[in-house]
């Protein structure tokens, strides 16, 4: 079982702050371990005051939910009451934030932590997180909820869409016959 060390967390934070700076963004960056416990949080000069707390909540979400925040968005939209209650559980240290900039840290197939970026737009926060984790050799692919095995790739998703379209076309043809 791997764990996320302080040195590794600091490497992620340093790289994220540099990447955000290259985009002209003042952000806060948080890294937590697999249990959602803070390893490192840093706020760059000029980052808004609430960004460290937002980054921590994003990192916490990615770690304890074991999926990047953007993967959780549709689930949250379909069950808002459930997600609101998650943050109220006695063991919940922080709110659950299903949003961009909340990325699960995964190495060798094992979830070892979460990364939260806050201060840019949603897309900028996500871009910084993805760029940094990819450049440092972390995995960015995750299987859909309730699915075992390899993550769904674009070609597999396209195949499912094509199959669904063919099924719908068959139904339409049969109904019209």
């Amino acid at each position: 079982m791997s764990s996320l060390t302080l040195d590794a967390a600091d490497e992620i934070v340093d790289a994220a702050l540099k990447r955000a700076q290259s985009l002209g963004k003042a952000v806060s960056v948080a890294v937590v371990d697999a249990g959602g416990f803070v390893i490192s949080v840093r706020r760059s000069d000029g980052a808004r005051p609430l960004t460290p707390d937002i980054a921590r909540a994003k990192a916490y979400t990615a770690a304890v939910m074991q999926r990047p925040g953007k993967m959780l968005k549709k689930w949250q939209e379909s069950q808002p009451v459930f997600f609101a209650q998650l943050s109220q559980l006695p063991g919940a240290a922080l709110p659950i934030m299903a949003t961009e900039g909340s990325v699960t840290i995964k190495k060798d197939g094992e979830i070892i932590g979460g990364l939260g970026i806050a201060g840019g737009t949603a897309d900028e926060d996500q871009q910084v997180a993805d760029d940094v984790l990819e450049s440092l050799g972390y995995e960015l692919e995750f299987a859909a909820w309730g699915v075992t095995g390899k993550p769904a790739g674009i070609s597999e998703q396209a195949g499912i869409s094509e199959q669904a379209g063919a099924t719908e076309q068959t139904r339409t043809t049969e109904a019209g016959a």
Side-chain angles (χ1 to χ4, degrees):
M1 183 166 147
S2 299
S3 64
L4 192 58
T5 65
L6 177 58
D7 287 342
D10 283 341
E11 179 182 41
I12 293 168
V13 170
D14 289 340
L17 290 172
K18 286 178 187 168
R19 179 66 180 115
Q21 185 178 26
S22 76
L23 296 173
K25 297 296 170 180
V27 301
S28 289
V29 181
V31 175
V32 301
D33 66 15
F37 295 97
V38 173
I39 299 173
S40 182
V41 177
R42 220 168 309 148
R43 178 177 164 252
S44 65
D45 293 339
R48 293 183 307 277
L50 279 178
T51 59
D53 290 334
I54 296 167
R56 283 180 45 232
K58 287 180 174 186
Y60 174 81
T61 298
V64 301
M65 295 299 287
Q66 299 186 340
R67 292 295 184 277
K70 68 181 183 179
M71 283 185 77
L72 302 172
K73 285 178 81 168
K74 286 188 181 183
W75 185 14
Q76 182 183 35
E77 290 166 1
S78 71
Q79 296 185 358
V81 173
F82 171 74
F83 267 82
Q85 291 173 340
L86 281 177
S87 298
Q88 302 302 314
L89 292 172
L94 293 166
I96 299 297
M97 294 186 69
T99 188
E100 289 81 2
S102 166
V103 182
T104 307
I105 302 172
K106 184 172 148 184
K107 186 83 164 182
D108 300 325
E110 186 177 349
I111 293 168
I112 58 172
L115 168 62
I117 310 285
T121 65
D123 289 339
E124 290 165 341
D125 290 350
Q126 187 67 42
Q127 179 185 355
V128 168
D130 287 344
D131 289 352
V132 165
L133 291 180
E134 183 176 26
S135 73
L136 295 175
Y138 294 96
E139 299 165 38
L140 295 177
E141 303 236 354
F142 293 85
W145 279 101
V147 176
T148 58
K150 294 184 179 181
I154 293 171
S155 61
E156 291 173 12
Q157 290 173 352
I160 290 169
S161 297
E162 289 170 9
Q163 288 173 356
T167 302
E168 186 58 36
Q169 185 177 18
T170 303
R171 286 187 196 140
T172 304
T173 304
E174 290 172 354

